[in-house]
Amino acid sequence: MKPVTPGQVTRYDIEIFPTLAELEPGHRLRLTLTTSDSPHLLPAVGQATKLAGGIYEVQRNAKAASYLEVPLARPGSFRPCRLCK
């Protein structure tokens, strides 16, 4: 991990672990961005102190647009897991 330059836009491609969910009409998705991948990858003690109190901005403009790509599947296109029965 390398430090970023304050005030400079830095691109990050962030992988989100796959989740299978059925959303009812009117339901919403919420994305929460944090400075670590807890509980999977907790920062080391030296890293944690550098992360505390930081200010992070998500760009929402045409010049540096942020987006979330959400693949969709038709209802019923997944078979139940054999081991989940």
Side-chain angles (χ1 to χ4, degrees), residues 55-67:
I55 298 173
Y56 306 92
E57 295 181 27
V58 175
Q59 298 298 308
R60 300 185 327 173
N61 59 60
K63 192 173 181 183
S66 297
Y67 65 93

Side-chain angles (χ1 to χ4, degrees), residues 3 9 12 15-16 19 27 30 34 36 39 43 60 69 72 81:
V9 175
Y12 289 97
E15 179 182 2
I16 300 173
T19 301
H27 283 190
R30 177 178 61 194
T34 65
S36 66
R60 300 185 327 173
E69 187 175 326
L72 302 176
C81 171

Side-chain angles (χ1 to χ4, degrees), residues 20-23 70-80:
L20 180 63
E22 184 174 347
L23 301 177
V70 181
L72 302 176
R74 295 187 187 283
S77 62
F78 293 96
R79 294 180 293 164

Side-chain angles (χ1 to χ4, degrees):
M1 181 184 320
K2 68 177 192 174
V4 298
T5 304
Q8 179 179 332
V9 175
T10 305
R11 178 185 171 138
Y12 289 97
D13 293 317
I14 302 169
E15 179 182 2
I16 300 173
F17 290 106
T19 301
L20 180 63
E22 184 174 347
L23 301 177
E24 298 293 331
H27 283 190
R28 298 178 182 186
L29 291 175
R30 177 178 61 194
L31 175 66
T32 303
L33 299 174
T34 65
T35 57
S36 66
D37 185 13
S38 61
H40 303 99
L41 298 172
L42 293 175
V45 175
Q47 291 175 323
T49 56
K50 293 176 184 176
L51 294 173
I55 298 173
Y56 306 92
E57 295 181 27
V58 175
Q59 298 298 308
R60 300 185 327 173
N61 59 60
K63 192 173 181 183
S66 297
Y67 65 93
L68 174 65
E69 187 175 326
V70 181
L72 302 176
R74 295 187 187 283
S77 62
F78 293 96
R79 294 180 293 164
C81 171
R82 291 184 301 122
L83 302 175
C84 300
K85 293 181 182 179

